[in-house]
Amino acid sequence: MILFSFTSIVLIAFGATLFQTGHAKKLWRRIEDWFHVYQFFKVPELNDTTQHNHLYRKVSLYLHSLPSIEDSDFANLITGKKQNDIVLCLGPNQTIEDHFLGATLFWFNQTGTFLLKIRKVDKRRILRPYLQHIHAVADEIDQRGKRDLLLFMNIADDFRRWRSVPFTHPSTFDTVAMEPDLKSKVKSDLESFLRAKQYYHRLGRVWKRSFLLYGPSGTGKSSFVAAMANFLSYDVYDIDLCKISSDSDLKSLLLQTTPKSVVVIEDLDRFLAEKTARISASGILNFMDALLTSCCAEERVMVFTMNTKEHVDPNLLRPGRVDVHIHFPLCDFSAFKTLASSYLGVKEHKLFPQVQEIFQNGASLSPAEIGELMIANRNSPSRAIKSVITALQTDGDGRGCGLIGRQTEDDEMDEPDGVVCGETFHTVKDLRKLYGFFSFRVTRRSSSSNASLPPASPLEKE
């Protein structure tokens, strides 16, 4: 007994000396483990039913906000929500120290799990208020919009169904080309949704909102989804139905989504038209409004996109399944002015009356086509607007191309430091001919040098 006490004193003194050097923190923690009884608590990313553990996300937000992360033995430096922001993240298998109500706590970052180490003598006193503190700090970070948004994509994996990347899409409601009144109504609807938790619960309804965005390709549906996510500060879950094997697989994906998220299924009409789909129409219906959705779809916005809803079963789109229908038409003059302001920085121009007259005569292009014309000629607003006029007048021959040419006198006055381009491409046909020429040359060269290789498979989708 005397020997043990003497050894303890020596170890404590030795450990205290080493601790002062700053190079033996891990050793000192191990020495402490011999003399103090600790209890460990796991916070897994997924619970036993493979449903996402909401506490895991809150702990992650909390730990990455701690100043002591800078003192961690190993931390990752990553880009934040803004390109110039540098964020510290706790590395795998690393430890971070925290202090609360006079107690010292340790967090370990394991794969898919956070491990809390706390002294037993402190557990009864601080554990409950400490967890409440974590909730409060994480909620405050969410409310201030400091949380970096994530884009989740479903993958074919039996355990981890989602893979995430930072969501950095710059689209906002200010940059979306849409009728101003409609845009204001959508923003007001989303703001009302954010405040309506108690109202929904009083009605006995799930706190979620469903949107149908329908219209031709290139009319801005995907950009609108990104604008919604940035406005709400919600993560995005993009569900690829082609990677889902069954109805139950779709349900499992929904179980692993988190609150404060936008769940998106794009091109739903095209998927429903496929006769070989592995997901049934009833599986889609259950995903939209079944008991499962009621149990795990709180604080979510569901978005479905279609090119057209003419051939879709009306029962799929009834109120309760889809709350808001938004049509995305081809571009009109009002949307054109919004695009000109965003892409060219022009609010008024002498060519606007001519553009307005062409729109009134029935010509139309998609916002994506007009946007590409403006990007290609962004150094000269006059040339960009003229390219749009040419495309509208040719009614298709100019769609999606850039009118890139020598500067005219108007261009020089409009953009004195503009870039002068050599060749002129008046229509998309000109660009396709040029591209086809290079493609033919590359194909011949490739085929002559690789004659023994099998031919490449054609692309299934443009």
Side-chain angles (χ1 to χ4, degrees), residues 213 215-217 221-222 238-239 241-242 264-274 303-308 461:
L213 316 181
S217 297
K221 298 186 293 294
S222 297
D238 186 10
I239 297 180
L241 294 176
C242 296
V264 185
I265 294 182
E266 296 190 277
D267 299 323
L268 181 58
D269 55 332
R270 187 176 63 183
F271 183 82
L272 292 173
E274 296 179 0
V303 179
F304 308 92
T305 72
M306 298 180 180
N307 287 336
T308 177
K461 170 169 98 168

Side-chain angles (χ1 to χ4, degrees), residues 355-391:
V355 177
Q356 185 176 14
E357 181 180 359
I358 296 174
F359 275 117
Q360 290 174 348
N361 290 334
S364 62
L365 291 171
S366 72
E369 291 167 331
I370 291 178
E372 287 303 316
L373 288 166
M374 291 179 173
I375 289 175
N377 299 279
R378 59 187 177 276
N379 292 316
S380 171
S382 292
R383 189 168 65 239
I385 296 171
K386 287 178 182 179
S387 69
V388 173
I389 292 173
T390 301

Side-chain angles (χ1 to χ4, degrees), residues 91-132:
N93 300 319
Q94 296 301 314
T95 305
I96 188 171
E97 187 176 304
D98 192 18
H99 301 276
F100 184 76
L101 296 179
T104 301
L105 308 96
F106 300 94
W107 285 97
F108 301 89
N109 182 18
Q110 299 178 340
T111 303
T113 301
F114 287 116
L115 187 66
L116 171 63
K117 174 183 171 182
I118 183 173
R119 293 183 183 181
K120 280 192 173 182
V121 294
D122 295 327
K123 184 192 70 171
R124 293 183 180 275
R125 179 174 63 90
I126 72 163
L127 181 59
R128 187 175 296 276
Y130 182 61
L131 294 177
Q132 292 173 348

